[in-house]
Amino acid sequence: MITLKINNRTVEVEEGSTILQAAEKLGIFIPTFCHDDYGRMPAKHCSNCTEYGDCKMCSCEVEGEASLLTACNTQAEEGMVVWTESEEVKKARTDILYRMIATHPLDCMNCKKLGDCKLQKYCEMYGVKDPLYEIPFEHREKDLSNRFYYQEMDKCIRCGKCVRTCRELVGIDALVMAQKGSNAYVMPKGGATMAETNCVSCGNCVSVCPVGALMPKSLYDFRQWEVKKVRTTCAYCGVGCQIDFSVKDGKIVDATPAYGPSNQGLLCVKGKFAYDFINHKDRLKYPMIRKNGKLERATWEEALDLVASKIKEVKENYGPDAVAGFSSARTVNEDNYLFQKFIRAAVGTNNVDHCARLCHSSTVSGLATTLGSGAMTNCIAEVKEADVIFITGSNTTETHPVMGMYVRQAHRMGKKIIVADPVRIPLADLADIYLQINPGSSVALSNGMLHVIFEEGLEDKEYIEKHTEGIEQLRECVKKYTPERVAEICGVDKDLIIQAARLYASTHKSYIAYAMGITQHVNGTDNVTSLSNLALVTGNMGKKGSGVNPLRGQNNVQGACDMGALPTDYPAYQKVFNPQVQEKFEKAWGVKLSPDKGYTVTETIPAILEDKVKLLYIMGENPMVSDPDTNHVRHALEKAFVVVQDIFPNETTEYADVVFPSTAFAEKDGTFTNTERRVQRVRQVVPAKGECRDDWWTLMQVMNRIGYSCHYDTVEDVFNEMRTVTPSYAGITYEKIEKAGVQWPCPTEDHPGTPILHVNGPGRAGGGLLKALEWQPSPDLGDPEYPMTLTSCRILYHYHTRTQTDKVPAIHFTAPRNWIELHPDDAKELGVQEGDWVKVSSKRGSIYVEARIVDTLQPKVAWMPFHYAEGANVLADSSHLDPVSKIPGFKQIGIRIEKVSAQKAKELTAQAQNDAIEYYENEDPKIIRYEEKEVEDLISARKEG
Ligand code: SF4
């Protein structure tokens, strides 16, 4: 420790602390512009370079020093005597401020940053009013080209924080500081406007700008003193970023990143800018009942009574197993807990599942079998502490954007990266080894890497001996997966396989991150298991910066699984067919429970078509877009009595018999569990709309009406009941997670939570299971009628089936409709050019989409985003499922592509233009404040005939 004096007060700080940190410890304020409050970007003052923090606003007087020293990057020393507000310091700061305002428009009353501007605040503090002198500077036009924010460079104070944030934290490097001195300014890198750069619109530059030079294209006018801030958890992906929402007059008017353990003060475009769907006019605002084929407004009493009577009728006539329910990875843990309790205890069946079946059920089945727990073994941010990062089947920068930023940060730190993916994802450009494998060849790749590891003696013999079983069978199995054979299966150079194996096995800090490119296959469980084989054989388990880390897609998919929204599992993966577990839940819930495994999502749809299920209750899911083989789903929904709880009308409510309006994430309290098992608070930020009610409340009403008596006053009551039957959540309370979330398992209230699993060896009884696996080709491929392979993925801008993100105009116009990506050779063979319409067919159906020609795919492999109705899931196969997890093979669909006729193309173009105009005209004109030039041109062209 070091002792120093600041303003005549003594303080003790750790060695290596800066003067600024020492002052903060004493509660002494030192003004800063370019300093990063979270310490993520160490100050690098440099007189030759304006990009690296050169504001000098934190200059202080240090006794014995000839000149002032900057507090943010000067280390505190033993016996140092510092003065933070001496006359010399004040003069220096005043000079800096005068220099800044000499080139800054002093139009504060009209600036949207008023009240939140550091320049304004410091000028007030140091009595700086009018400019003392004028410095000639070049006026710059506002850059409005980005859909989400604008730049007003006349207001830039040249602190360089945005440039550094984009480069060092986000890893995109879309900004650069041009020129020097008073003419220095921030400019787009690689283009004339921001729209021409590789900007990903994450808005982190906007969040760190201390003045009004970078501002959100906010739909609302507000001043800082008019808003209250409420912290909650982002509802758009499994990273679980913490957000501070600003609320004025009951509406969210702004979002800023908070410093949560998983997001470290960063957000992506959705967290930062895509919140206004909450106020969208299309929100469901009252219950509806289908009458004469149309959904009509009903009272809550009518709708609840009808649903209850239907459930009772179906139970009486066909038994409880004729009812099934889809719970939701979008909503809070409490809703999910109550949903599965409703289906199990009140209805009497285990027919409860949710869309994790379609994304990561193979993770749960794979990792639970081999390790004893089907969840991320390590933390998200730990990826920066790994020596080697192996990313496979995850387009991380698109689907888990803040995690993608960490991988970019790790790359800047010199960490090694291996990417294996059929699509040349953006992170492949940073990779030391990139394997462009054929879709569905992951088991072969892992086996090939294991073959090399065993051949070269790179395995961790001690770890294998102490913590695993099944090594001999695995060793025997991978003998035949020589690099030559695997190279043929995977379609990559054998040397790359050898190099990847050596690099992965070279350290005990190799971190595997994977997502649906691994799980969404008919052998998804084997794909997952093959990755756990790799980690166990090399001892990359139970240590910081290692492990097997499934990146769960939706915001609460981990929580929905933990809560038992699965047909085989009560909360915390306690099996329904285990008599002791059944007895425990019967005692807790006071009813007899079914010991029979229920239908999965993918089994429910056929069960409806086979007349086994008569009533489907859906909470917050949209199977008409998310489930495979849309036509098949449509027939089932037409047949069953369908109840939907949701926040928007969507493709599924079109088939609903009763619709209940729900609250959106920012209108409710509760908890989400992010992909690293961290249970975090979700807080009500704004009041519920119309007659919308929380999902748990609606479920409680239905449960009571069908004869299962239950009462909860608050959502916290539901949480507290849940933790009495959920051992891994038992020690988590709302109070405990008030400030920061806790990672399960957390068995007791004094337990701190568990950031890393399997520290003392895999939790599975008997140790980590090494499984001998054989590579299997996909059953949907190989038909000459459908000679190409379609793979799909999420994109950065949309969330799941777009019910929320498509209501945000800036998002909608960024990705308004579906498309397909093709290799140039395939495009040539098909006679297709960029932007042409094509017909894509599989054995299940056909769709029409625009073609884009890319250099990120191998020939005969096509790619499509997942999110659109009349999209990839019309083509997907629901008849072949992974035998263990029942997940379909979304990532390998056999397709045929044909160029459409000129007449058909004309009709499709006209339809697309109509859709664009309709969207534009249907929006509140206040909402579309920044005109969509393309659509405006279309409208004027139409007016002109
Ligand atoms: Fe964070 Fe994911 Fe939300 Fe983006 S979508 S802000 S990465 S939680």
Side-chain angles (χ1 to χ4, degrees):
M1 297 296 276
I2 281 169
T3 307
L4 67 156
K5 270 191 172 179
I6 304 180
N7 298 353
N8 223 9
R9 290 167 62 194
T10 303
V11 62
E12 215 182 41
V13 289
E14 274 180 29
E15 210 164 323
S17 302
T18 61
I19 294 175
L20 187 65
Q21 286 166 331
E24 272 165 9
K25 200 169 175 194
L26 282 172
I28 293 173
F29 176 74
I30 298 178
T32 61
F33 283 114
C34 63
H35 172 69
D36 176 39
D37 296 339
Y38 301 130
R40 299 165 299 181
M41 300 181 287
K44 297 177 191 168
H45 289 191
C46 163
S47 52
N48 293 321
C49 174
T50 47
E51 282 183 12
Y52 284 107
D54 197 25
C55 80
K56 300 216 168 44
M57 195 64 192
C58 64
S59 296
C60 290
E61 194 178 332
V62 177
E63 286 187 12
E65 295 291 336
S67 55
L68 299 182
L69 298 179
T70 42
C72 72
N73 69 339
T74 302
Q75 283 197 3
E77 285 175 16
E78 183 63 38
M80 210 177 220
V81 179
V82 182
W83 299 96
T84 67
E85 291 290 337
S86 66
E87 286 312 310
E88 196 185 342
V89 168
K90 281 186 196 163
K91 184 176 177 312
R93 290 187 189 154
T94 308
D95 284 350
I96 292 167
L97 293 169
Y98 275 122
R99 232 178 19 246
M100 283 179 177
I101 64 165
T103 59
H104 189 97
L106 294 180
D107 186 22
C108 294
M109 296 314 287
N110 291 310
C111 179
K112 289 179 91 179
K113 194 79 173 181
L114 177 70
D116 192 30
C117 171
K118 280 192 171 183
L119 181 61
Q120 186 194 33
K121 179 177 165 183
Y122 299 160
C123 283
E124 204 181 324
M125 277 174 68
Y126 291 96
V128 171
K129 289 197 176 86
D130 302 316
L132 282 185
Y133 43 86
E134 271 186 21
I135 299 178
F137 81 107
E138 277 176 52
H139 161 73
R140 298 187 196 278
E141 289 300 317
K142 271 189 192 176
D143 181 353
L144 293 166
S145 64
N146 183 285
R147 287 195 168 93
F148 302 90
Y149 65 88
Y150 65 87
Q151 284 184 334
E152 193 173 354
M153 280 306 127
D154 284 357
K155 290 184 179 168
C156 177
I157 56 162
R158 297 167 276 280
C159 69
K161 223 168 158 183
C162 56
V163 177
R164 294 184 62 201
T165 297
C166 189
R167 181 181 303 161
E168 295 175 30
L169 299 182
V170 180
I172 287 295
D173 209 9
L175 296 167
V176 67
M177 189 72 91
Q179 301 188 25
K180 284 194 175 186
S182 55
N183 267 328
Y185 67 100
V186 175
M187 66 175 278
K189 191 170 174 183
T193 63
M194 286 312 294
E196 291 169 29
T197 68
N198 59 346
C199 170
V200 291
S201 304
C202 65
N204 289 304
C205 56
V206 177
S207 299
V208 299
C209 180
V211 294
L214 280 157
M215 293 293 286
K217 284 181 173 174
S218 176
L219 310 173
Y220 304 100
D221 287 322
F222 67 93
R223 298 285 181 247
Q224 280 305 311
W225 58 84
E226 298 172 321
V227 301
K228 76 164 180 173
K229 293 207 174 187
V230 183
R231 181 159 302 177
T232 193
T233 303
C234 178
Y236 277 130
C237 90
V239 175
C241 298
Q242 297 298 288
I243 306 180
D244 285 334
F245 280 124
S246 298
V247 182
K248 180 186 166 188
D249 301 334
K251 280 197 169 131
I252 297 177
V253 294
D254 194 23
T256 48
Y259 194 92
S262 63
N263 70 308
Q264 302 188 347
L266 297 168
L267 291 177
C268 79
V269 59
K270 296 193 287 296
K272 173 77 182 167
F273 296 115
Y275 52 81
D276 207 45
F277 70 87
I278 293 159
N279 297 318
H280 199 275
K281 64 181 169 45
D282 289 353
R283 281 285 300 277
L284 289 168
K285 295 186 190 74
Y286 42 77
M288 288 188 286
I289 293 176
R290 189 168 297 278
K291 288 180 185 160
N292 303 319
K294 273 186 72 184
L295 282 172
E296 290 182 10
R297 182 171 187 163
T299 65
W300 270 98
E301 291 297 307
E302 285 167 341
L304 288 165
D305 286 347
L306 175 60
V307 169
S309 70
K310 271 285 170 192
I311 294 173
K312 286 200 272 189
E313 185 189 312
V314 169
K315 265 182 79 172
E316 257 171 50
N317 293 336
Y318 307 99
D321 290 339
V323 176
F326 292 172
S327 197
S328 175
R330 272 163 56 191
T331 190
V332 292
N333 286 324
E334 293 77 355
D335 294 338
N336 277 285
Y337 170 77
L338 208 57
F339 191 92
Q340 58 87 39
K341 183 177 175 185
F342 154 55
I343 296 290
R344 291 192 159 112
V347 177
T349 175
N350 284 312
N351 289 341
V352 55
D353 202 9
H354 71 290
C355 67
R357 184 66 45 202
L358 308 170
C359 61
H360 271 280
S361 54
S362 39
T363 284
V364 177
S365 58
L367 296 186
T369 309
T370 58
L371 302 175
S373 179
M376 248 177 108
T377 57
N378 291 58
C379 300
I380 294 168
E382 259 178 60
V383 74
K384 293 190 269 183
E385 296 180 47
D387 294 334
V388 177
I389 303 163
F390 179 20
I391 296 170
T392 180
S394 158
N395 192 351
T396 324
T397 51
E398 297 273 317
T399 56
H400 298 82
V402 167
M403 168 94 176
M405 293 173 200
Y406 294 158
V407 177
R408 290 184 187 277
Q409 288 178 30
H411 177 253
R412 281 181 66 84
M413 294 174 209
K415 305 303 174 81
K416 300 286 180 200
I417 299 174
I418 306 168
V419 171
D421 201 295
V423 181
R424 190 176 174 92
I425 59 170
L427 290 179
D429 292 342
L430 310 183
D432 298 273
I433 300 169
Y434 170 50
L435 301 121
Q436 189 159 31
I437 56 173
N438 289 326
S441 60
S442 299
V443 167
L445 176 65
S446 299
N447 281 355
M449 288 170 70
L450 285 167
H451 177 101
V452 176
I453 288 167
F454 289 135
E455 281 286 300
E456 300 190 6
L458 303 174
E459 70 271 36
D460 184 336
K461 296 184 184 69
E462 199 185 323
Y463 188 90
I464 294 169
E465 172 68 28
K466 214 166 152 192
H467 294 299
T468 69
E469 59 175 308
I471 184 65
E472 287 318 319
Q473 294 91 321
L474 178 64
R475 205 185 275 275
E476 193 53 38
C477 168
V478 302
K479 270 187 189 157
K480 54 186 176 291
Y481 288 87
T482 60
E484 291 76 12
R485 180 175 171 225
V486 172
E488 211 168 289
I489 298 170
C490 296
V492 295
D493 189 324
K494 77 173 173 42
D495 291 339
L496 288 178
I497 298 165
I498 296 168
Q499 287 165 25
R502 288 177 183 159
L503 184 57
Y504 178 75
S506 66
T507 168
H508 279 144
K509 289 178 97 180
S510 279
Y511 183 107
I512 295 176
Y514 73 86
M516 288 180 277
I518 287 291
T519 59
Q520 287 187 322
H521 293 271
V522 293
N523 62 343
T525 304
D526 285 355
N527 284 345
V528 171
T529 306
S530 74
L531 295 175
S532 106
N533 281 345
L534 266 178
L536 289 170
V537 161
T538 53
N540 271 300
M541 189 61 69
K543 303 170 184 83
K544 216 166 199 178
S546 73
V548 183
N549 297 290
L551 307 180
R552 311 296 296 258
Q554 291 196 71
N555 48 314
N556 198 33
V557 71
Q558 183 64 55
C561 292
D562 298 345
M563 292 301 106
L566 300 168
T568 45
D569 299 56
Y570 290 113
Y573 309 96
Q574 300 169 86
K575 301 296 170 200
V576 295
F577 37 77
N578 178 330
Q580 281 98 47
V581 170
Q582 189 187 356
E583 198 186 322
K584 167 182 158 176
F585 279 90
E586 285 179 347
K587 209 164 148 202
W589 293 345
V591 282
K592 198 90 195 105
L593 295 167
S594 167
D596 303 325
K597 165 193 164 314
Y599 291 128
T600 62
V601 162
T602 41
E603 291 167 333
T604 301
I605 300 298
I608 294 172
L609 293 169
E610 288 163 20
D611 270 337
K612 292 178 187 156
V613 168
K614 301 282 185 185
L615 188 149
L616 179 60
Y617 197 118
I618 303 171
M619 175 176 74
E621 292 221 348
N622 187 7
M624 274 299 292
V625 183
S626 59
D627 288 26
D629 194 352
T630 312
N631 291 323
H632 176 69
V633 178
R634 179 180 295 114
H635 296 146
L637 295 187
E638 279 167 352
K639 202 163 177 207
F641 187 85
V642 178
V643 182
V644 176
Q645 291 180 199
D646 215 310
I647 63 171
F648 280 110
N650 58 34
E651 292 79 0
T652 299
T653 57
E654 284 174 29
Y655 299 89
D657 295 282
V658 179
V659 175
F660 291 122
S662 302
T663 46
F665 85 105
E667 295 163 344
K668 56 169 58 180
D669 275 304
T671 53
F672 289 152
T673 305
N674 77 352
T675 187
E676 60 180 0
R677 300 170 280 105
R678 191 180 300 278
V679 185
Q680 305 191 106
R681 276 304 312 274
V682 174
R683 293 185 183 85
Q684 186 182 30
V685 180
V686 288
K689 301 274 169 304
E691 294 176 30
C692 295
R693 301 302 305 252
D694 286 341
D695 290 292
W696 66 268
W697 181 89
T698 307
L699 295 169
M700 180 173 76
Q701 304 306 316
V702 177
M703 289 164 87
N704 280 300
R705 276 174 167 77
I706 62 173
Y708 183 87
S709 173
C710 61
H711 182 80
Y712 306 92
D713 283 323
T714 65
V715 69
E716 191 175 0
D717 290 350
V718 182
F719 186 88
N720 284 333
E721 178 186 303
M722 176 276 293
R723 62 193 195 91
T724 63
V725 290
T726 311
S728 50
Y729 282 63
I732 302 175
T733 63
Y734 273 24
E735 196 188 345
K736 189 165 174 171
I737 57 172
E738 179 56 26
K739 288 218 167 85
V742 168
Q743 285 164 286
W744 65 255
C746 178
T748 55
E749 285 188 28
D750 56 1
H751 191 285
T754 311
I756 304 175
L757 294 178
H758 315 304
V759 172
N760 300 314
R764 174 183 171 271
L769 180 64
L770 295 169
K771 283 189 88 177
L773 305 162
E774 300 290 354
W775 170 77
Q776 318 264 5
S778 163
D780 204 43
L781 303 182
D783 184 336
E785 283 283 300
Y786 302 96
M788 291 188 64
T789 304
L790 178 70
T791 186
S792 65
C793 185
R794 274 74 177 150
I795 61 167
L796 172 65
Y797 292 93
H798 276 303
Y799 170 71
H800 213 235
T801 64
R802 302 184 310 133
T803 45
Q804 297 172 173
T805 42
D806 202 52
K807 305 293 186 304
V808 179
I811 297 259
H812 169 84
F813 285 113
T814 304
R817 61 184 167 272
N818 199 8
W819 74 91
I820 191 165
E821 296 187 355
L822 302 174
H823 186 275
D825 291 355
D826 295 323
K828 198 170 165 200
E829 201 180 309
L830 293 162
V832 168
Q833 302 204 342
E834 177 79 14
D836 279 353
W837 287 95
V838 292
K839 181 180 178 187
V840 186
S841 308
S842 75
K843 289 176 193 160
R844 273 69 56 186
S846 300
I847 56 169
Y848 294 93
V849 281
E850 282 168 312
R852 293 185 190 168
I853 300 165
V854 298
D855 59 3
T856 50
L857 295 166
Q858 297 275 41
K860 299 290 172 217
V861 177
W863 178 94
M864 191 182 281
F866 141 90
H867 310 275
Y868 298 86
E870 296 302 305
N873 280 342
V874 173
L875 310 169
D877 179 18
S878 64
S879 61
H880 295 94
L881 304 173
D882 178 280
V884 188
S885 67
K886 310 292 179 196
I887 199 167
F890 292 106
K891 292 289 195 274
Q892 284 173 282
I893 306 172
I895 57 161
R896 177 178 65 234
I897 301 176
E898 298 151 90
K899 188 176 169 181
V900 303
S901 68
Q903 178 55 30
K904 182 74 184 170
K906 211 170 150 192
E907 284 166 27
L908 291 164
T909 305
Q911 183 59 47
Q913 291 178 349
N914 272 340
D915 290 348
I917 292 171
E918 202 179 303
Y919 186 100
Y920 187 84
E921 291 183 338
N922 268 348
E923 284 301 335
D924 181 343
K926 184 171 175 279
I927 290 179
I928 304 202
R929 288 197 9 185
Y930 297 91
E931 303 82 26
E932 285 300 319
K933 186 79 183 69
E934 221 174 284
V935 186
E936 293 232 311
D937 289 349
L938 276 176
I939 294 172
S940 24
R942 187 159 295 193
K943 278 184 191 147
E944 285 158 19

